[in-house]
Structure formats: C-alpha cells, structure tokens
C-alpha cells in the first residue's frame, strides 16, 4: 500500500511538470582541471621561451598581455573538450543521467531510484554548478553542470519541487543539505582566504621576492569568489 501511494505521489508531481526531460552540459572535473593547468603552464612559459629563442628584449607589460592572450585563445579553443552532453529524464520511480563524451562519443548511463535517495546539495562555484546526490547505501554521486546549460534552471526548480512533494507524502525524507558557503567550515575557509589575500603580498614584499602575478590572478579570483558567496549566503540568511 505504501509503495503504491509513493508511486502515485511521483506520478502526480510529474504530471504537473511542463517537461521532464532536460538537456544539460556536464563538465568532467579531472579533465577540466588538467586543461586549466596545461593552459596556465603554456601561457606562462611560451612567451619567455619565445623571447629566449628570438633573443629580443620586451616590456614586462607586453609579455603579460601576450600571456593573457595565449591563455584566452587556448581556453576558447579547448572549451568543447570539457563539455559532455547530459540527458536527464525523470520518471515515476527513477531519474536517469545519460552522458555522452565530447571526445570519444561514448555514452555512460546512471539510474537512481527516488526511494534510494537520502539527500542532495545544489552548489554554485566559479566555474560550474554542482549537484551532489547521497544515496541510502552510502553512494555519493557528483555532477558538475555548466552555467550555460540550456535547461539547468528548470531542472533545478523541478528537482526541488518533486523532492518536496515526495517528502510531503511521508513516504520518504530526502533532505537538502546546505552548500559549503552556509556552513561554519565555509566561514573558516573564507576568513583564512581573506588573511592569505592580505598576507601574501606583504610577505613577498618583506622577503624581497618577486610577486607571481599569474598565480596571484588565479588565487585572488577563486578566493574572492568564495568569500563573496559566503557573504551572500550569510546575508540572505540574516535577512530572511
């Protein structure tokens, strides 16, 4: 009887949805990280190697501009390598993720039953959205979704709605975990990053060492985004 009511609850939710198939873009995290490292190393080393080979003196600003130009060009040219098509289908008992590799064109399919889902997290980072799924058997599934995925906003809203409806029926208790920005750990990390942002240039200046502009840009960009997200979430919590 309980199983039948559970299935009926899912059916009622899905029947009210405008559409329950979604075209998303999944970003392989390992490949994405390797790509960024290759671009960074190439953009930092190539201008200096070129100057050594042609033995020409150049202005530091010109070298930095050239490095940024190379990084931007490589970033755009390699963008398609880390954008896998992800087809998501929500059915009565399960929801399915089918990913197609942009490089090999191979398909990888994953199915999760609603009654096996324990909790989930939607989290925004500087580079992509993250959906973490935790199952009752201890499995953790992480999807990194492109900011510009065609149906992401609708998928996120529909996912929240169907989970809420399932919980209201009393047949399941799928919890929404807070993103790291809302936790005490996130606050500690934000404070530590803020101190590093201030301390790094001071330590470099006092030690007389060169300030690594390329690494600093990457660090300050990521740290600044994290601190902003912690501030935004905590401000929203206070105003509620």
């Amino acid at each position: 009887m309980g199983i039948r009511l559970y299935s009926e609850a899912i059916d009622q939710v899905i029947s009210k949805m405008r559409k329950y198939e979604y075209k998303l873009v999944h970003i392989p995290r390992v490949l994405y990280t390797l790509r960024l490292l290759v671009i960074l190393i190439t953009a930092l080393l190539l201008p200096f190697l070129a100057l050594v080979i042609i033995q020409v003196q150049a202005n530091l600003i010109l070298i930095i501009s050239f490095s940024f130009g190379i990084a931007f060009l490589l970033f755009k040219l390699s963008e398609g390598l880390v954008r896998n098509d992800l087809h998501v289908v929500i059915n009565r008992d399960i929801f399915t993720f089918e990913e197609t590799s942009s490089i090999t064109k191979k398909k990888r399919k994953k199915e999760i039953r609603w009654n096996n889902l324990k909790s989930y997290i939607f989290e925004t980072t500087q580079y992509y959205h993250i959906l973490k799924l935790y199952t009752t058997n201890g499995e953790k599934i992480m999807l990194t979704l492109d900011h510009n995925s065609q149906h992401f906003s609708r998928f996120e809203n529909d996912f929240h709605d169907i989970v809420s409806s399932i919980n209201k029926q009393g047949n399941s208790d799928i919890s929404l975990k807070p993103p790291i920005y809302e936790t005490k750990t996130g606050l500690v990390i934000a404070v530590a990053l803020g101190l590093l942002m201030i301390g790094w240039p001071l330590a470099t200046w006092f030690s007389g060492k060169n300030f690594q502009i390329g690494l600093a840009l990457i660090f300050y960009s990521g740290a600044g985004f994290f601190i902003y997200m912690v501030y935004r979430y905590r401000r929203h919590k206070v105003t509620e």
Side-chain angles (χ1 to χ4, degrees), residues 25-36 38-39 73-85 99-105 146:
V25 175
H26 183 247
I27 299 176
R29 286 171 294 148
V30 174
L31 187 59
Y32 189 89
T33 303
L34 289 175
R35 167 177 169 252
L36 289 181
V38 170
I39 291 174
L73 181 62
L74 292 175
F75 190 82
K76 287 296 182 183
L77 290 176
S78 61
E79 188 175 29
L81 299 177
V82 291
R83 291 172 59 86
N84 294 345
D85 291 332
E99 181 179 2
T100 304
S101 171
S102 61
I103 300 176
T104 64
K105 303 304 178 183
D146 187 85

Side-chain angles (χ1 to χ4, degrees), residues 78-133:
S78 61
E79 188 175 29
L81 299 177
V82 291
R83 291 172 59 86
N84 294 345
D85 291 332
L86 185 68
H87 185 217
V88 179
V89 180
I90 294 180
N91 290 320
R92 183 185 67 182
D93 299 316
I94 63 175
F95 58 98
T96 306
F97 302 96
E98 185 175 70
E99 181 179 2
T100 304
S101 171
S102 61
I103 300 176
T104 64
K105 303 304 178 183
K106 290 184 178 180
K107 296 182 181 294
R108 184 172 63 92
K109 191 173 183 180
K110 178 70 176 179
E111 293 182 345
I112 303 175
R113 303 187 69 85
W114 287 107
N115 56 5
N116 287 336
L117 183 61
K118 181 180 179 181
S119 60
Y120 70 101
I121 301 174
F122 272 106
E123 198 166 83
T124 301
T125 72
Q126 187 178 7
Y127 304 104
Y128 38 66
H129 297 283
I130 296 178
L131 170 59
K132 298 177 184 178
L133 303 168

Side-chain angles (χ1 to χ4, degrees), residues 14-32:
I14 292 178
S15 65
K16 295 178 181 178
M17 295 170 61
R18 292 170 295 171
K19 193 176 182 181
Y20 52 91
E21 294 189 26
Y22 311 87
K23 293 181 179 180
L24 306 172
V25 175
H26 183 247
I27 299 176
R29 286 171 294 148
V30 174
L31 187 59
Y32 189 89

Side-chain angles (χ1 to χ4, degrees), residues 200-233:
W200 185 10
L202 292 177
T204 302
W205 184 69
F206 282 116
S207 64
K209 296 181 179 179
N210 293 327
F211 189 64
Q212 302 295 326
I213 298 177
L215 293 176
L217 288 173
I218 296 173
F219 169 72
Y220 278 89
S221 175
F225 179 84
F226 192 95
I227 292 171
Y228 166 74
M229 292 298 291
V230 170
Y231 167 76
R232 194 181 77 168
Y233 272 94

